[in-house]
Amino acid sequence: MPQKKRSKDLNFLEKIYLPEIFNGLMLTLKNMFRPNVTMQYPEQKFIPPASYRGRPVLVKENDDTERCVACGLCSRVCPALAIEVQPDETALEKERFPKLFEINMLRCIFCGFCEEVCPEEAIVMSKDYELVYTNREDAIYGKDKLLVPVEELSDRLEFLRNFK
Amino acid sequence: MPKLIIDGKEIEFENGQTIIEVAKKDGLEIPHFCWHPSLSISGNCRVCLVEVEKMPKLVIACSTIAADGMVVNTQSEKTLNARNAVMEFLLINHPLDCPICDEAGECKLQDYAYKHSAGESRFVETKNHKDKRIQLGPRIMFDQERCISCSRCIRFSDEIAKENQLTFVQRGDHVTIRTFPGEEFDNPYTLNTVDICPVGALTSNDFRFQTRVWELSSTESICVGCSRGCNTEVWVRDNEIKRLTPRENFDVNSYWMCDHGRVNTWKNVNADTRIDGCLKDGEKISWEDAIKSVSDGLTQYQPEEILFIGSAFASNEDNFLFKKLAEKKGVHEVYFASAIKPGDADDILIQEDKTPNSLGASKIGLTGSNDNKSLSKKISDGKYKAAFILEDDLTRLEEDVIKSLQNIEFLIVQATNENQLTKEANLVLAASTFAEKHATYTNFLGMVQRVKPAVTSANMDRALDSMSKSRWDKFATTFDRWGRGKKYDSKPGWSILSGILNEMGEEKNYQMAEDVFDELAKEISDFNGMNYDTIGSGGALLKSFTKQEAETV
Amino acid sequence: MDIWSIVIETSIKIFVVVNVLLLTVSYSVYFERKISAWAQNRIGPNRVGWLGLLQPFADVFKLLLKEDIVPDKSNKAIHALAPFLALFVAFSTYAVIPIGPEMTLFGYTFSLVVADVGIGILYVLAMTSLGVYAITFAGWSSGSKYSLLGGIRSAAQMISYEVSMGFSIAGVIMFSESLNMNVIVQSQAGWMWNAILQPIGFITFVVAAFAETNRMPFDLPEAEPELVGGYHTEYSSMKFAGFFLAEYANMAIASALIVTLYLGGWQNPLVDIFGITGITATLMQIGAFLVKVLALLFFFIWVRWSLPRFRYDQLMDLGWKVMFPLSLINIVWVAALIMIFNL
């Protein structure tokens, strides 16, 4: 029985390799003259697009209060159990605010579930990817590090409104 | 027996039962907001509408008396449509502020919105806004917007608390609940309305905004506030008790408990006054040293010079071993002080006797009386040189007890929290509270009831001691801040006492509270045949007592 | 000429050749990294010195400071010998490569080859074949299965490709009628380059050269994904650097050989066209040789970053079933050329 011809079967020119090798060489040669994509990182910083999921941050309103109402959904949905919220009562109209809001950045996996589940758009993924700490305690971010003014997050909030 | 058919299943029932009761008995839940098994039927939420064959319209299951041969359909299209419509109406003016609502997670409206509603609102108009923070009583906050007017709280205050303090005012979508002007919703049972409120309209000031209910672990326990011993659930997060809720037990407390028990009886567990490790003359010492000092100290006195005072606040096991310890020293009379507040009682739950275990203490053979005067006299008459006092702040008896204690050269106090007595004591043994140990208490009805550990002390581990765990407890590592909580260096009373007994030469080694109770059940006739399994979560009755239903049911 | 002047002359030549070779080798490492970066739209080393030009020295410095780890179960003596053998073979081959014609400087005439021996090409074949010992020794003495596999592969591969290499060279010798490297270069005067006259031989020789130097796509003895580095898995510090240097030195030698045998050696067509003579012509010819070698080095690196590695059976297939017959055909072709054109 004659063997069935497969699309993989090579023709004569392909079988003698040389033209194909030449094609391959030309491809790499062409690439040598293309512009580089490497960034000189510490000097040159990558500014991510709005869809980027950097470290999660809390939205700080213009009146310096947090948007968060400490509902605890982010904490519940977090697959890595990175978030701890301790609610308390406030005299503001929203009644409830996070007395304590801690994200353990060693546990965080940047999945963005917290952002997705948040009913208030209070926790969003920022563009910040530079996370450095030298011990485990420093990796636990409290409200002081998490609260970011709302203007700085306008990109992401707009992205969420359009695509979430 | 008459029979009816619910969803194609034939069920027997007793005459007079409503459809919802019949269904419930068979394990089928017909959705309901306003119906509660121990409250009267009001039938105003309409969510329990079911289709009954040959009836022209849907009927409410909660107030329709079951009849022989009835064919009920709880899942027909007509029923489901009606249910969905009722849910839609109820949600029209509900603020849907679940993120800030403390009921979220255990909210009937939330659950039913998932189960029985289309999940979409066609209501585009502005919702009705009302006051969100109304202090209805000293312990209770009312959110008018969230209320779905089921009238459970009104019926509770009428029928169970018998105080007629709440009522509906206004009509239509302005309807709300309030007390008479100038009056407060302040009966001793108000917080039960928080439990039965199907939404988050009524919240407890004590628990409001404390935590999410799904972050808590719950442990079966009992209230130690009075000799009723209401069955409870202890809710813990980060090793701290966050709240107590009643657990149904028709022999003791039905569905309810009093506000005092719910709010005050557990506050000492995580208080700053907790004794953290044993103290000798105010200095911290190790457990070995403490137990050795007790044993060495007591050998220096004659039996007639030593006073042993047990406690009605301590468990059966503790008092039992305490009695053994006294007998080992040749002392045969062990006293305990009662704590009776005359007049502070009602015919619902609250008892005058404010100790959880006075019946148990006397059954074990401790001497107590309603008159504590003789006991204070005994302490102060100078005959005794040494005293061992178990988990009871005796300074509550009389002001000059403290003065008379100065006659006593060697005072051992086993206590959970700092008090006047521990300040005077030569030796303080750090005892675990009711929430940190396995133990039994005997209530005034003769029910022996168990408590289980809900909070860990220093030498305990949630996993190894098979305690209930919240999600945090389950997954916390030593590097996480959450889930840790404060652990106090304390031991259950029986464990301390058995350590002292062993030090004094007693051979019997008790490994756990159950060992102590098994011996107690062998030796004390009223407890014969009992063990932790037969007591279970519902309690077991002393032999000489007959069963009586709690009066409230 | 007395013996001392020969000794001094040869010493100077050796000094110059070794230094030039070492520099070439270090910078071919640098360019290997640069060219791979360019081919992948990256930048490559650019932190040490201007454009990263000091990178080779940093690398050497790093390797010098590294701990020399010798496996417990290795044969210590052979383990230590192998990298030196590799280096020795690589460098000594260069003795017979002519980098230019005879040169007269300060009235003193000398040939631009360290040792102008009559059997140059046999010497080259012999030395390059010795290289396989270094690799086999390294693989065997390390006491590691990966190293041993690498060594065995290397031996098999080198022996297979040596055959077609030898037959290809036969074609060259048939034209030049001499084994002397200088004569071979001179026989390619004008545009009579062997690469043009016998393209099949040229291709088989280049492919065999790739295989002999263990370069992609024939770097099976090292094959990082399969053999974790092959024969030098167990080498570290300067011993590893020895193999590393030897590999690049071999590459330079293979390039020089290809240039000498097939691309006219130091022949510069411009010299003949414009009739340039004297020292300028000589310098231009040396320049031509260097340019050709560097171009071939670039080609070596370029191929490495373009082609994937062959499978071992494919390599053997290619060696015995394709390269060997092709080199035989080349001999017939050359013989026919000689017969017909009476060259």
Side-chain angles (χ1 to χ4, degrees):
Chain A
M1 209 173 121
Q3 222 179 348
K4 210 179 129 195
K5 193 175 163 62
R6 294 167 301 169
S7 58
K8 266 201 227 159
D9 283 344
L10 306 174
N11 62 30
F12 175 74
L13 273 183
E14 286 164 345
K15 263 185 196 154
I16 61 169
Y17 286 134
L18 290 175
E20 294 301 309
I21 288 174
F22 182 75
N23 283 344
L25 289 172
M26 280 304 127
L27 184 73
T28 42
L29 189 68
K30 214 162 61 195
N31 269 291
M32 285 183 206
F33 300 101
R34 282 218 185 125
N36 295 326
V37 293
T38 314
M39 263 178 195
Q40 296 291 300
Y41 166 61
E43 295 98 26
Q44 228 179 326
K45 294 243 160 103
F46 167 57
I47 297 166
S51 58
Y52 185 81
R53 293 200 306 261
R55 79 175 170 100
V57 296
L58 290 175
V59 177
K60 183 158 84 180
E61 297 283 19
N62 289 327
D63 57 358
D64 267 7
T65 57
E66 56 282 270
R67 194 179 271 183
C68 174
V69 295
C71 70
L73 288 182
C74 48
S75 172
R76 181 66 186 82
V77 81
C78 182
L81 291 103
I83 306 177
E84 184 187 5
V85 188
Q86 175 59 54
D88 205 358
E89 189 163 4
T90 160
L92 296 174
E93 200 201 340
K94 67 175 188 178
E95 289 192 83
R96 200 179 162 112
F97 83 108
K99 189 166 77 180
L100 175 115
F101 197 108
E102 286 184 345
I103 301 184
N104 186 342
M105 293 312 296
L106 288 174
R107 275 183 174 266
C108 179
I109 57 168
F110 304 92
C111 63
F113 281 12
C114 47
E115 176 188 60
E116 204 169 312
V117 81
C118 185
E120 303 286 332
E121 276 185 353
I123 186 166
V124 295
M125 305 306 274
S126 68
K127 293 181 178 183
D128 188 359
Y129 51 82
E130 290 174 314
L131 302 162
V132 182
Y133 13 76
T134 49
N135 60 56
R136 288 171 197 268
E137 288 297 309
D138 286 357
I140 300 175
Y141 282 18
K143 258 171 44 169
D144 53 329
K145 284 190 189 155
L146 290 174
L147 280 169
V148 170
V150 63
E151 308 91 64
E152 290 176 29
L153 302 166
S154 52
D155 257 22
R156 182 68 180 182
L157 289 169
E158 200 189 312
F159 169 81
L160 291 175
R161 254 161 239 150
N162 292 336
F163 300 108
K164 188 173 161 183
Chain B
M1 260 216 212
K3 288 175 189 163
L4 60 69
I5 294 170
I6 301 181
D7 293 345
K9 192 180 171 191
E10 207 174 60
I11 303 170
E12 287 190 342
F13 65 95
E14 285 160 29
N15 276 326
Q17 280 186 309
T18 57
I19 296 174
I20 205 168
E21 281 168 350
V22 177
K24 191 190 173 209
K25 220 175 77 185
D26 199 57
L28 173 79
E29 196 206 11
I30 295 173
H32 56 274
F33 288 116
C34 69
W35 181 77
H36 188 279
S38 67
L39 297 176
S40 64
I41 296 158
S42 69
N44 59 0
C45 75
R46 314 308 289 181
V47 84
C48 65
L49 282 170
V50 290
E51 192 178 0
V52 176
E53 258 177 35
K54 294 186 181 124
M55 289 219 185
K57 288 165 75 175
L58 299 177
V59 296
I60 47 173
C62 67
S63 78
T64 307
I65 305 293
D68 197 14
M70 213 179 221
V71 179
V72 181
N73 199 338
T74 70
Q75 300 297 327
S76 68
E77 205 189 329
K78 214 170 151 189
T79 318
L80 293 180
N81 282 341
R83 206 175 278 163
N84 182 27
V86 169
M87 284 305 298
E88 202 173 341
F89 273 123
L90 286 175
L91 289 169
I92 277 182
N93 276 315
H94 190 81
L96 296 177
D97 55 353
C98 306
I100 58 161
C101 177
D102 280 302
E103 190 82 358
E106 52 182 15
C107 173
K108 257 192 150 55
L109 189 64
Q110 205 180 31
D111 293 349
Y112 289 174
Y114 276 104
K115 271 190 225 163
H116 305 300
S117 160
E120 254 173 56
S121 175
R122 287 176 290 171
F123 190 74
V124 290
E125 292 78 8
T126 318
K127 291 197 182 218
N128 207 351
H129 284 292
K130 299 178 195 168
D131 272 344
K132 285 187 80 71
R133 279 186 258 204
I134 291 187
Q135 194 71 52
L136 212 54
R139 293 171 293 275
I140 208 158
M141 188 74 92
F142 178 46
D143 186 321
Q144 293 183 318
E145 282 186 353
R146 291 181 192 151
C147 178
I148 57 164
S149 309
C150 71
S151 82
R152 270 181 172 190
C153 50
I154 298 173
R155 280 175 287 145
F156 174 84
S157 82
D158 288 357
E159 296 160 18
I160 307 293
K162 301 191 173 72
E163 294 268 359
N164 295 22
Q165 282 174 316
L166 297 176
T167 185
F168 281 129
V169 291
Q170 310 286 13
R171 284 185 296 172
D173 57 6
H174 292 291
V175 72
T176 187
I177 287 164
R178 61 169 299 171
T179 53
F180 192 81
E183 295 282 321
E184 280 195 309
F185 184 45
D186 59 356
N187 71 59
Y189 297 97
T190 54
L191 289 177
N192 289 304
T193 58
V194 175
D195 294 336
I196 59 173
C197 182
V199 291
L202 296 170
T203 48
S204 156
N205 282 351
D206 191 50
F207 183 65
R208 219 168 127 81
F209 301 125
Q210 286 303 302
T211 178
R212 279 312 194 182
V213 291
W214 56 77
E215 292 175 348
L216 300 165
S217 68
S218 77
T219 311
E220 287 180 350
S221 186
I222 65 162
C223 169
V224 293
C226 77
S227 64
R228 168 73 64 175
C230 294
N231 288 213
T232 58
E233 297 264 359
V234 181
W235 299 80
V236 172
R237 180 188 152 190
D238 294 349
N239 213 32
E240 266 180 45
I241 302 183
K242 292 291 178 186
R243 68 169 177 181
L244 234 56
T245 55
R247 176 163 60 90
E248 61 183 81
N249 185 337
F250 293 102
D251 298 328
V252 181
N253 60 319
S254 182
Y255 296 96
W256 324 111
M257 75 186 290
C258 74
D259 291 0
H260 167 72
R262 188 194 293 254
V263 175
N264 299 326
T265 55
W266 49 270
K267 288 284 161 72
N268 68 317
V269 176
N270 290 98
D272 294 335
T273 57
R274 271 305 290 279
I275 291 166
D276 195 8
C278 297
L279 303 169
K280 188 175 188 180
D281 299 323
E283 309 244 325
K284 210 163 258 186
I285 56 168
S286 73
W287 280 99
E288 291 79 19
D289 290 348
I291 283 167
K292 208 167 153 40
S293 345
V294 174
S295 157
D296 292 352
L298 289 180
T299 48
Q300 291 168 15
Y301 300 96
Q302 298 301 313
E304 60 273 13
E305 288 176 333
I306 311 175
L307 178 64
F308 281 92
I309 303 179
S311 171
F313 291 102
S315 67
N316 291 327
E317 290 82 355
D318 297 1
N319 280 315
F320 177 69
L321 284 192
F322 193 66
K323 184 97 195 319
K324 278 206 166 238
L325 179 69
E327 276 162 6
K328 185 115 192 149
K329 296 277 10 154
V331 181
H332 298 290
E333 197 78 345
V334 179
Y335 306 93
F336 73 91
S338 58
I340 289 171
K341 269 197 192 161
D344 185 15
D346 56 27
D347 51 6
I348 305 167
L349 292 174
I350 302 171
Q351 296 296 308
E352 280 185 340
D353 184 354
K354 296 301 172 197
T355 63
N357 197 35
S358 50
L359 184 60
S362 20
K363 287 283 170 200
I364 284 162
L366 274 62
T367 316
S369 68
N370 289 349
D371 179 22
N372 285 324
K373 285 234 167 74
S374 54
L375 188 62
S376 7
K377 219 168 262 165
K378 265 201 181 74
I379 299 170
S380 46
D381 73 356
K383 199 179 100 187
Y384 295 105
K385 296 242 168 64
F388 192 159
I389 300 169
L390 193 68
E391 294 175 43
D392 195 350
D393 183 8
L394 289 180
T395 53
R396 67 187 162 81
L397 300 180
E398 263 179 38
E399 295 276 320
D400 53 345
V401 165
I402 290 283
K403 262 182 229 156
S404 54
L405 279 174
Q406 274 148 16
N407 299 335
I408 290 172
E409 294 164 13
F410 187 52
L411 177 61
I412 308 163
V413 173
Q414 180 171 316
T416 59
N417 292 65
E418 284 169 20
N419 54 36
Q420 281 292 326
L421 205 58
T422 59
K423 279 176 198 153
E424 300 296 324
N426 300 89
L427 197 62
V428 181
L429 301 169
S432 295
T433 59
F434 76 99
E436 293 158 314
K437 63 183 179 187
H438 281 287
T440 58
Y441 294 88
T442 315
N443 80 351
F444 77 104
L445 295 163
M447 288 289 279
V448 182
Q449 307 191 90
R450 281 183 67 181
V451 294
K452 291 173 188 169
V455 176
T456 54
S457 44
N459 48 359
M460 290 167 85
D461 181 283
R462 275 185 190 276
L464 297 179
D465 292 321
S466 57
M467 293 162 64
S468 63
K469 295 191 286 283
S470 69
R471 186 159 162 263
W472 299 118
D473 297 328
K474 246 177 241 169
F475 299 109
T477 66
T478 44
F479 305 111
D480 291 305
R481 279 192 203 162
W482 40 262
R484 271 192 221 162
K486 169 91 178 136
K487 283 180 168 190
Y488 291 97
D489 184 14
S490 65
K491 283 185 178 178
W494 64 265
S495 164
I496 303 171
L497 293 166
S498 85
I500 297 169
L501 275 169
N502 288 343
E503 181 73 24
M504 285 178 170
E506 168 77 37
E507 306 231 320
K508 182 120 189 152
N509 197 5
Y510 301 99
Q511 292 297 325
M512 42 189 187
E514 206 169 350
D515 294 346
V516 183
F517 188 80
D518 287 347
E519 190 162 320
L520 184 156
K522 236 180 267 166
E523 287 184 19
I524 316 282
S525 61
D526 245 342
F527 290 86
N528 277 354
M530 273 187 210
N531 61 40
Y532 273 14
D533 292 336
T534 55
I535 295 171
S537 55
L541 205 58
L542 288 178
K543 280 200 153 177
S544 52
F545 280 73
T546 48
K547 204 161 192 160
Q548 60 185 110
E549 294 265 302
E551 296 98 291
T552 47
V553 184
Chain C
M1 221 192 283
D2 65 304
I3 184 79
W4 285 111
S5 61
I6 293 175
V7 168
I8 292 166
E9 182 196 322
T10 313
S11 300
I12 293 170
K13 280 183 193 166
I14 290 174
F15 181 79
V16 171
V17 165
V18 166
N19 277 295
V20 169
L21 197 57
L22 273 175
L23 212 64
T24 317
V25 164
S26 11
Y27 276 93
S28 53
V29 176
Y30 168 78
F31 276 104
E32 174 103 61
R33 293 174 65 177
K34 270 290 187 195
I35 289 168
S36 72
W38 293 335
Q40 295 163 358
N41 297 343
R42 292 186 286 112
I43 293 172
N46 69 339
R47 295 273 152 178
V48 193
W50 181 66
L51 292 176
L53 276 171
L54 295 179
Q55 188 69 43
F57 301 102
D59 287 348
V60 168
F61 192 59
K62 182 199 78 174
L63 283 165
L64 269 172
L65 292 179
K66 285 218 157 188
E67 188 193 351
D68 182 18
I69 300 163
V70 181
D72 231 14
K73 289 189 176 161
S74 65
N75 185 326
K76 307 272 182 321
I78 297 179
H79 189 262
L81 173 70
F84 292 103
L85 187 61
L87 268 181
F88 166 75
V89 166
F91 280 85
S92 52
T93 313
Y94 217 82
V96 294
I97 309 274
I99 56 171
E102 284 201 332
M103 187 177 179
T104 311
L105 206 61
F106 313 119
Y108 184 80
T109 306
F110 56 91
S111 62
L112 284 174
V113 54
V114 177
D116 193 9
V117 290
I119 50 148
I121 202 149
L122 286 184
Y123 173 79
V124 168
L125 278 178
M127 290 314 275
T128 49
S129 306
L130 271 181
V132 75
Y133 280 102
I135 290 172
T136 323
F137 281 179
W140 173 75
S141 69
S142 291
S144 151
K145 57 188 162 210
Y146 296 117
S147 303
L148 185 61
L149 277 173
I152 291 170
R153 280 185 180 190
S154 173
Q157 176 180 329
M158 284 204 169
I159 291 165
S160 310
Y161 280 82
E162 206 111 283
V163 178
S164 49
M165 196 182 199
F167 278 104
S168 309
I169 291 174
V172 175
I173 299 167
M174 283 159 78
F175 268 126
S176 64
E177 293 170 357
S178 166
L179 298 175
N180 187 302
M181 298 295 251
N182 249 327
V183 177
I184 292 173
V185 173
Q186 273 148 10
S187 75
Q188 300 176 64
W191 281 101
M192 295 287 275
W193 289 4
N194 281 326
I196 299 165
L197 294 177
Q198 36 178 314
I200 298 174
F202 175 61
I203 289 168
T204 49
F205 186 83
V206 168
V207 172
F210 271 89
E212 287 283 304
T213 50
N214 297 327
R215 287 287 297 184
M216 259 321 195
F218 303 119
D219 67 339
L220 283 116
E222 300 172 33
E224 289 90 348
E226 315 154 32
L227 297 182
V228 221
Y231 60 87
H232 57 57
T233 304
E234 304 294 348
Y235 281 88
S236 54
S237 183
M238 277 319 278
K239 285 187 194 154
F240 172 76
F243 278 117
F244 206 65
L245 280 180
E247 187 190 326
Y248 282 90
N250 274 330
M251 205 165 95
I253 280 148
S255 306
L257 261 181
I258 295 170
V259 170
T260 310
L261 299 180
Y262 289 93
L263 298 174
W266 40 260
Q267 304 275 4
N268 188 340
L270 293 175
V271 175
D272 298 338
I273 293 168
F274 297 107
I276 301 165
T277 51
I279 189 86
T280 329
T282 313
L283 286 178
M284 278 179 79
Q285 280 161 335
I286 296 173
F289 178 77
L290 289 177
V291 167
K292 287 176 192 170
V293 169
L294 290 179
L296 269 168
L297 277 174
F298 172 77
F299 180 70
F300 265 89
I301 295 168
W302 181 18
V303 166
R304 171 167 178 193
W305 296 102
S306 303
L307 301 184
R309 181 179 300 123
F310 273 79
R311 219 166 53 209
Y312 191 64
D313 62 321
Q314 292 172 335
L315 174 92
M316 282 312 194
D317 269 6
L318 190 71
W320 289 105
K321 295 185 189 165
V322 181
M323 304 303 291
F324 181 46
L326 275 180
S327 55
L328 288 179
I329 291 171
N330 181 55
I331 290 177
V332 174
W333 164 261
V334 173
L337 278 184
I338 293 170
M339 291 276 287
I340 296 163
F341 296 102
N342 204 14
L343 287 165

